[in-house]
Amino acid sequence: MESEKALELVKKQLTDHRYQHTLGVMETAISLAKLYDADEKKAELAAIFHDYAKFRPKEEMKEIILSQGFPRDLLDYNAELWHAPVGSYLVEKEAGVTDPEILAAIRFHTSGRPGMTLLEKIIYLADYIEPGRHFPGVDEVRELARKNLDLALIKSIQNTIIFLLKKNQTVYPDTFYTYNDLLKNRRID
Ligand code: DGI
Ligand code: FE
Ligand code: FE
């Protein structure tokens, strides 16, 4: 799919603010793909579609998680996590995207997962560091992302876990599993 068409489809699903965020994720994902020798076209499309389901009603998201074989335990955790797997499903169903690498990058863009692919890491990070993001620690992760993708990812997950703990919120176990996996297997070169 051409990016113009993808953007047109996504714009209808999002608020203006969230669409601007999406454009930021797209630019950042393309830069990271160039830097780390990933498929730029896939990074672009995955970024455009990553928040496709962000504004779906909770009831609809619940129904999709239960009927499409996504882990049921997602429903026991923060509803912020749901739009990622639900997005991967709806982007295939409604926008006709079938590339499994793109769909996985959408699916795991919030929780991560152990054994993330290069494309999954790029979308996760681009979402975190796109130019419209302003929160403590984001500049440090932006700098790390230029040097070492895994270290940047580790830092961003640490920040997210600390953020959730400080707000007395639960942490989905996959967030910890992703963190542990990266720390054990990180490339330190
Ligand atoms: O959709 P975005 O706002 O662009 O970003 P996202 O898909 O990374 O969602 C991030 C939000 O999800 C962030 O505010 C933290 C929240 N969240 C809630 N529970 C969890 C969680 N994030 C992770 N990684 N793990 C959780 O258990
Ligand atoms: Fe998201
Ligand atoms: Fe996002």
Side-chain angles (χ1 to χ4, degrees):
M1 186 185 306
E2 291 303 320
S3 54
E4 290 75 15
K5 177 71 191 159
L7 285 168
E8 192 188 309
L9 290 174
V10 155
K11 202 171 197 302
K12 293 182 203 146
Q13 301 290 325
L14 302 177
T15 59
D16 247 16
H17 182 258
R18 185 58 42 175
Y19 184 69
Q20 293 306 317
H21 160 71
T22 294
L23 295 178
V25 178
M26 181 184 83
E27 290 307 326
T28 308
I30 293 170
S31 304
L32 289 173
K34 285 192 177 123
L35 195 58
Y36 291 101
D37 218 9
D39 187 317
E40 287 174 42
K41 198 68 210 162
K42 290 191 188 199
E44 182 180 44
L45 277 180
I48 291 173
F49 282 117
H50 84 285
D51 274 340
Y52 183 86
K54 188 84 180 172
F55 298 104
R56 292 299 171 114
K58 277 192 191 156
E59 279 312 312
E60 182 188 358
M61 292 200 279
K62 261 187 207 172
E63 194 278 316
I64 290 171
I65 285 168
L66 291 173
S67 65
Q68 300 304 317
F70 293 114
R72 297 178 69 96
D73 70 346
L74 278 164
L75 301 180
D76 301 331
Y77 292 87
N78 200 316
E80 282 290 325
L81 292 157
W82 303 350
H83 73 285
V86 169
S88 70
Y89 169 73
L90 290 176
V91 162
E92 179 165 22
K93 186 166 164 253
E94 297 180 359
V97 175
T98 53
D99 186 302
E101 291 178 8
I102 294 177
L103 296 176
I106 298 167
R107 175 172 176 180
F108 299 109
H109 88 265
T110 306
S111 65
R113 65 160 164 174
M116 286 171 88
T117 65
L118 177 60
L119 188 69
E120 287 164 33
K121 290 176 182 178
I122 284 173
I123 298 304
Y124 188 102
L125 256 190
D127 190 22
Y128 194 84
I129 64 171
E130 63 95 359
R133 296 289 207 196
H134 304 281
F135 42 76
V138 68
D139 278 334
E140 184 187 4
V141 178
R142 284 188 180 118
E143 259 178 55
L144 281 172
R146 279 187 263 143
K147 297 182 215 136
N148 185 311
L149 202 60
D150 285 355
L151 284 182
L153 221 68
I154 287 166
K155 186 45 89 179
S156 69
I157 297 173
Q158 280 176 354
N159 290 348
T160 298
I161 291 171
I162 291 169
F163 167 82
L164 292 167
L165 294 183
K166 281 188 178 157
K167 292 208 308 173
N168 264 343
Q169 290 194 12
T170 55
V171 182
Y172 189 55
D174 277 11
T175 304
F176 288 122
Y177 294 139
T178 308
Y179 174 71
N180 290 337
D181 175 65
L182 287 163
L183 212 57
K184 280 188 266 184
N185 300 317
R186 78 194 160 117
R187 300 197 186 156
I188 48 172
D189 51 319

